[in-house]
Amino acid sequence: GGGGEGGGGEGDESVDDLRRRLSEMEAAAEAADCRAAAALAQKDEAEDRFEREVGRLEIERARLETEHARRLEELRIEHARRLEELRIEQARQLEERAREQEEVRAGLAAAVGQLASEKGG
């Protein structure tokens, strides 16, 4: 009867081997699932990071466009102000020249009058 028990024991061992192999395969599958889940989480995190960065860049672009438009407007206003100053300065100089010419004409007229009176006298 001892042989039969031995045989039965060996048979049990082979079932144990199968069970052990099955649990190893289950553990491996579980580990693979965990790795897949971790990879997916990493991918999601990378996508989130990318979207945040795109959002940040879009905000920065809008800020720069606004800044650029503001700067252009400032330059336009400054340019218009300088043109106006230039026009005022030119008008002032023209008035001055006209006044100088008027003084010269008056001086000439006075000189001509004086000459005429001296000749007449």
Side-chain angles (χ1 to χ4, degrees), residues 5-24:
E5 276 177 37
E10 279 169 24
D12 287 349
E13 215 174 311
S14 115
V15 168
D16 286 348
D17 285 345
L18 282 174
R19 283 198 185 119
R20 193 167 34 254
R21 253 200 312 180
L22 186 62
S23 68
E24 282 170 8

Side-chain angles (χ1 to χ4, degrees), residues 58-110:
E58 283 174 352
I59 289 167
E60 180 66 7
R61 187 193 64 197
R63 190 188 65 75
L64 288 173
E65 283 174 357
T66 302
E67 178 65 19
H68 181 66
R70 189 185 62 75
R71 188 73 189 113
L72 275 178
E73 183 62 13
E74 281 175 5
L75 287 172
R76 191 190 63 72
I77 289 166
E78 178 67 12
H79 182 66
R81 190 182 62 75
R82 284 187 185 163
L83 274 178
E84 186 57 26
E85 284 175 2
L86 221 97
R87 273 197 289 272
I88 290 167
E89 180 59 22
Q90 286 174 339
R92 193 187 61 71
Q93 286 178 2
L94 282 173
E95 276 178 33
E96 213 172 282
R97 300 296 159 267
R99 200 169 41 253
E100 286 169 4
Q101 286 174 349
E102 194 54 49
E103 286 169 10
V104 168
R105 268 198 291 278
L108 280 173

Side-chain angles (χ1 to χ4, degrees), residues 24-36:
E24 282 170 8
M25 285 165 75
E26 283 172 350
E30 221 172 282
D33 282 350
C34 285
R35 282 194 301 273

